[in-house]
Amino acid sequence: MSSHRRLASAALGLAAALLWPRLGAAQLPALTFEEALARARQRAPAVVEAQGRVAEAQGPVAGAAPFLRANPVLEAEVGPRTRVDGARGIDVAVGLTQPLELAGQQGARRDAARAGLSAEQQRQRDTERRVVGEAAEAFLRALHAQERLGLARQAEEAARETASSTQRRLDAGDVPRVDVNVARVALARARADVADAEGDAEATLGALRLVLGLGPEVPLEPKGELRALASRPVNAPSEARARPDLAALEAEVTRAEAELRLGRGEAWPDLGVGVRYQREADETAVLGTLSVPLPLFARGQETRVTAEARVQRMSSALEAARRSREVSLASARALDRKRQEAVVLLEQEALPLLDENAALARRAYEVGEMGLAEFLLVRRDTRDTRAAWLDALLLAALARVQLAVEMGVLP
């Protein structure tokens, strides 16, 4: 008996081992709205690239960190000396010189480098803001496509039932042949709608994979309610700070101003301060040295002119971006308000009547008070209205996402 149990147990284990991979592969991982946004913020290709630019911007900061920009210069001279009387000796000279900038150029370089790093950090935040908005839009479209597919399949099932019942009534002699043909045409259209909806669902999932940086082999199943996401509240930022794209422009203005100070400082001469030890024959000397390059020709003209133009350009860009943000934010608020009104209008005045209309039309068709064409027209109107409601939910959810992106408050 025990051997039979062992054989049975082994058989069950083998069957489980063979079936388990297939069962696991059939289960699609559910992806919520918040999870999609979090993954986009961490792994989206654009975000990874922005993080790399921030790392690169650390280089100029490290280069400007030392107290002095130029390294000290060590010079050595050695050579034979022959006197008039024929005596020979060795002359040695060793000098150490440190170049010094007198107009604060190194401080200007530090300010420019730090402003450049700040600009890249703000651009990274702005990239995250835009990528998260794109991920939210892709997720909503994928979720909407799934719900439209479910609606199309319900319509296909209803059309199949109608075609079957119409065929039975034809066999009983209650309806003409044309009713069967009309029902079959309606079924074919419903099946075509399902195929089209399946294609849209796959396309939206592909767009979502692209935003999230996933390959085509990764299964996805967006999980959530479109109605809840369409009414998701948008809260004001917790602290008063500039949107990252504006903050990046402000940092660019600061960097341009620092570069302008650097160009103006180049008009001042640099000093070379040092000490020199020299031995000639039997005599030695220790000398202090001072060198002053004369800025007669190179006076930082290129740096100064370029920086002045850059300050003006970035300041104009910053003002234009601020005006554009106010306009975009006002438009996003108005669009969000109107699309919410459209959803409420359909939910309050149209959706409550659909089930009643469908039930009344079906009852009238069954008792012969309504023809098949009229019955199919009522049913199509019911489906179209539900589809319009789903479309209104998508538009409302997209408008809410756009408002959150403009305000910079997406989770």
Side-chain angles (χ1 to χ4, degrees):
M1 179 65 70
S2 59
S3 61
H4 290 295
R5 289 180 179 178
R6 286 196 297 270
L7 290 175
S9 178
L12 289 175
L14 179 60
L18 293 175
L19 293 176
W20 174 257
R22 298 183 180 180
L23 293 175
Q27 296 174 353
L28 297 179
L31 184 71
T32 65
F33 184 73
E34 290 77 10
E35 291 170 348
L37 301 192
R39 183 177 181 88
R41 183 176 282 108
Q42 296 174 359
R43 302 186 182 182
V47 174
V48 175
E49 181 184 357
Q51 292 172 349
R53 289 196 298 267
V54 172
E56 293 175 4
Q58 299 282 354
V61 175
F67 178 72
L68 296 176
R69 175 175 177 81
N71 293 319
V73 179
L74 178 64
E75 298 178 335
E77 300 175 4
V78 61
R81 174 183 289 273
T82 303
R83 296 182 180 179
V84 177
D85 58 2
R88 295 183 178 182
I90 300 295
D91 286 356
V92 177
V94 178
L96 183 66
T97 305
Q98 174 62 57
L100 300 176
E101 295 174 321
L102 300 181
Q105 292 97 319
Q106 188 65 357
R109 292 189 188 94
R110 290 193 194 97
D111 293 341
R114 291 168 182 168
L117 175 59
S118 177
E120 291 299 339
Q121 290 171 339
Q122 294 298 330
R123 288 194 186 97
Q124 177 186 350
R125 290 183 54 228
D126 187 60
T127 299
E128 291 177 0
R129 177 182 68 92
R130 291 183 288 103
V131 166
V132 168
E134 293 173 0
E137 179 180 350
F139 182 91
L140 291 172
R141 292 189 182 278
L143 189 61
H144 170 264
Q146 282 191 344
E147 296 197 12
R148 285 295 300 266
L149 176 58
L151 184 62
R153 287 172 175 169
Q154 292 176 5
E156 179 190 12
E157 184 62 26
R160 182 173 287 104
E161 293 177 358
T162 301
S164 298
S165 64
T166 305
Q167 181 64 46
R168 289 193 298 269
R169 296 183 66 182
L170 174 65
D171 296 339
D174 296 336
V175 296
R177 181 70 184 179
V178 67
D179 281 7
V180 175
N181 293 340
V182 171
R184 288 180 176 176
V185 170
L187 176 58
R189 293 183 59 181
R191 294 175 62 187
D193 289 342
V194 169
D196 186 63
E198 289 174 344
D200 288 341
E202 288 298 326
T204 55
L205 286 178
L208 181 58
R209 289 189 182 95
L210 185 63
V211 175
L212 299 182
L214 300 175
E217 73 283 354
V218 179
L220 285 179
E221 183 184 4
K223 180 182 179 182
E225 294 183 2
L226 195 57
R227 182 65 184 90
L229 295 175
S231 58
R232 185 185 183 93
V234 179
N235 300 320
S238 57
E239 56 183 19
R241 62 180 180 181
R243 210 172 64 178
D245 55 339
L246 300 181
L249 290 175
E250 292 174 354
E252 289 291 351
V253 172
T254 301
R255 179 166 68 171
E257 292 173 345
E259 292 173 349
L260 179 58
R261 295 200 311 273
L262 177 62
R264 290 171 177 171
E266 290 177 357
W268 290 79
D270 297 336
L271 293 182
V273 180
V275 62
R276 180 182 178 88
Y277 168 80
Q278 184 172 342
R279 189 187 73 181
E280 296 181 359
D282 297 332
E283 299 178 353
T284 62
V286 177
L287 306 174
T289 63
L290 176 66
S291 62
V292 182
L294 300 179
L296 298 179
F297 306 106
R299 299 174 53 85
Q301 299 94 325
E302 179 180 354
T303 304
R304 187 169 60 254
V305 171
T306 302
E308 288 176 350
R310 183 176 176 83
V311 168
Q312 183 177 1
R313 178 173 65 87
M314 299 310 301
S315 298
S316 300
L318 177 58
E319 292 300 321
R322 286 171 176 168
R323 291 193 299 268
S324 176
R325 178 189 182 270
E326 295 301 324
V327 173
S328 299
L329 185 57
S331 300
R333 284 172 175 162
L335 182 64
D336 174 68
R337 183 174 61 255
K338 290 302 179 182
R339 288 187 171 173
Q340 292 293 329
E341 291 179 3
V343 170
V344 172
L345 181 64
L346 287 173
E347 289 179 343
Q348 292 182 352
E349 300 187 13
L351 294 185
L353 303 177
L354 295 182
D355 293 337
E356 181 181 359
N357 290 346
L360 292 174
R362 185 173 186 83
R363 190 178 303 114
Y365 173 67
E366 290 175 351
V367 299
E369 296 178 354
M370 177 182 290
L372 178 61
E374 295 174 308
F375 169 66
L376 293 179
L377 182 61
V378 172
R379 192 170 66 186
R380 176 168 288 274
D381 179 71
T382 300
R383 190 196 66 179
D384 290 346
T385 303
R386 294 191 185 279
W389 175 62
L390 288 178
D391 293 344
L393 287 180
L394 173 63
L395 294 177
L398 292 177
R400 188 131 293 189
V401 166
Q402 182 180 350
L403 178 59
V405 169
E406 293 295 336
M407 296 178 65
V409 294
L410 271 172

